[in-house]
Amino acid sequence: MTVVLGTRALNRATLARQLLLDRSDLPVLDAVAHLGGLQAQEPQEPYPGLWSRLRAFQPAALSDLLTGRRVVRTHLMRRTVHLVTAEDALAWRARHEAMLRQRVLGVYRAELAETDLEELAAAGRAVLADGEPRSMTELARAVAGRWPAAGHRALGEMLITALIPTVQLPPRGLWRTRAGVRSVPLASWLGREIAPLSPDASDPVGQALLRRYLAAYGPAASADLRAWCGLAGLPAAVSALREELVTFRDERGRDLLDLPDAPRPDPDTPAPVRFLPAFDNAILGYHDRGRIIDDAHRGLSVAGERVVLLDGRVAATWTVESGTVTVTPLVRLSRADRAGVAEQGGEMALFLSDGETDGVRVGD
């Protein structure tokens, strides 16, 4: 009989893998690697995301990794900007390229109908060969004369997001810094070429992605893996690894894959209050998000709302203004719950204000 894992068991496994059950002592670089990157289209969000996961997290450590070229901001999983290690960016980028192209075409197919994408890629690389960082608009304008019907937005999105592996340069993404997006090729920034696609039909890069996904998100179904990375379920990789994986079933009857020795805590393990940033992968990294967020609140996960976990589940949203963290509950909170949320909110306020204020307000 296949063991059935209930929602609470899956919740506790997710919290443990996501470093949200107990804060971790991992170095920042190792934490980014373990998580398979952090979603980062909002440049400051990885900082509270890591603060909620790591003991004694110092924002300067992440900023230093960006300027030191150990982590990069690039379009990768799901065609969204992710903060990933340099090693993962080089190893994974080629495997994602076809998906990135298709997702851009899904938006701009009509505008790019008369555009030869290989010619467009060559033109874009020629412009970027001088090493000068450029915005998407600047790059599009530089090539637009050859494809005047396509429009700058479509050309820029296709070049920066899909055709040319690029990184968003600091100061964008540095702690408490606002800066526009300026990009250069990934290979030139890191001084190394991206790994080419492997001809091995068992999809070795897909196997690495599957292992890394299960380590940070499992147990999970193939549909959850696809929701995280945007790739089509990685069937060859799943087939190649199936004998070394263990299988469970959820309450909906879906088959769940997992690493044999990965943590699966007791469902009754207490879960502390945790504040998550916008678009956190602990929620977005699943097709079935019921393990962590109720269906009634699912829309919050794609609307850019920051959320609060109470007993491991989304129970409130939070914002910050003038140094004060304001929490808006989605469910009725007991007095003890309110006290726990207020305490953690005050600590978040101290973190975000560099110790200047611990202001917090918990609404009704």
Side-chain angles (χ1 to χ4, degrees):
M1 290 289 291
T2 302
V3 174
V4 175
L5 297 178
T7 299
R8 191 174 175 89
L10 292 174
N11 175 270
R12 292 315 193 251
T14 293
L15 296 181
R17 316 280 176 98
Q18 285 288 305
L19 314 180
L20 293 167
L21 199 57
D22 294 300
R23 281 188 168 96
S24 172
D25 292 316
L26 282 174
V28 174
L29 183 65
D30 293 346
V32 174
H34 167 75
L35 296 168
L38 292 96
Q39 187 143 326
Q41 68 260 46
E42 296 293 337
Q44 294 297 299
E45 297 306 292
Y47 291 92
L50 288 170
W51 177 84
S52 288
R53 289 171 163 93
L54 302 179
R55 295 186 185 94
F57 171 65
Q58 295 297 320
L62 181 56
S63 289
D64 289 346
L65 290 173
L66 277 163
T67 56
R69 310 187 189 197
R70 305 288 303 283
V71 302
V72 296
R73 294 171 46 81
T74 187
H75 289 89
L76 203 59
M77 283 76 80
R78 306 188 299 277
R79 192 192 146 215
T80 53
V81 177
H82 272 69
L83 178 80
V84 296
T85 69
E87 300 300 328
D88 285 345
L90 292 169
W92 295 351
R93 179 52 172 76
R95 185 63 179 82
H96 285 76
E97 182 163 330
M99 177 272 293
L100 295 171
R101 288 192 184 203
Q102 288 304 311
R103 292 209 172 193
V104 177
L105 285 174
V107 179
Y108 298 107
R109 190 175 301 277
E111 293 91 328
L112 296 170
E114 304 301 322
T115 304
D116 184 302
L117 296 185
E118 300 310 317
E119 290 182 8
L120 177 60
R125 284 193 292 267
V127 173
L128 293 172
D130 61 8
E132 287 296 315
R134 287 177 172 81
S135 69
M136 182 183 295
T137 300
E138 289 169 342
L139 180 58
R141 285 174 177 166
V143 302
R146 293 177 59 180
W147 297 279
H152 290 171
R153 185 71 185 183
L155 292 172
E157 285 271 5
M158 180 56 80
L159 284 168
I160 291 291
T161 303
L163 296 182
I164 304 174
T166 59
V167 295
Q168 297 183 355
L169 296 191
R172 188 164 180 85
L174 300 184
W175 175 238
R176 303 186 75 181
T177 300
R178 291 187 178 185
V181 178
R182 302 186 72 78
S183 301
V184 297
L186 172 64
S188 66
W189 178 246
L190 297 180
R192 289 175 286 169
E193 294 298 323
I194 67 171
L197 277 176
S198 171
D200 188 335
S202 69
D203 190 7
V205 176
Q207 292 182 42
L209 284 165
L210 174 57
R211 287 192 183 97
R212 296 281 294 280
Y213 176 73
L214 293 177
Y217 297 86
S222 294
D224 297 317
L225 170 66
R226 183 168 59 248
W228 170 68
C229 64
L231 303 176
L234 305 177
V238 171
S239 177
L241 294 182
R242 186 171 287 277
E243 288 191 2
E244 70 180 64
L245 302 176
V246 292
T247 303
F248 300 97
R249 190 163 292 158
D250 66 13
E251 293 173 327
R252 294 172 50 195
R254 300 189 313 160
D255 287 333
L256 306 177
L257 302 173
D258 204 8
L259 302 173
D261 299 325
R264 289 179 288 274
D266 188 299
D268 292 328
T269 303
V273 174
R274 290 289 185 255
F275 278 59
L276 296 187
F279 305 113
D280 196 282
N281 274 340
I283 300 174
L284 293 185
Y286 298 96
H287 173 70
D288 182 357
R289 299 170 186 165
R291 68 177 67 191
I292 199 167
I293 187 169
D294 293 342
D295 286 344
H297 304 140
R298 182 185 173 99
L300 298 174
S301 61
V302 295
E305 295 280 1
R306 296 163 164 171
V307 299
V308 180
L309 301 184
L310 182 64
D311 192 29
R313 300 190 62 80
V314 173
T317 61
W318 67 279
T319 58
V320 60
E321 186 175 353
S322 302
T324 297
V325 168
T326 298
V327 177
T328 303
L330 300 169
V331 297
R332 185 179 298 277
L333 303 183
S334 69
R335 182 174 298 180
D337 291 339
R338 292 176 68 85
V341 169
E343 179 182 4
Q344 193 68 192
E347 292 183 12
M348 177 63 83
L350 283 169
F351 168 72
L352 293 175
S353 67
D354 285 340
E356 294 180 3
T357 176
D358 63 353
V360 61
R361 182 169 58 249
V362 181
D364 295 327

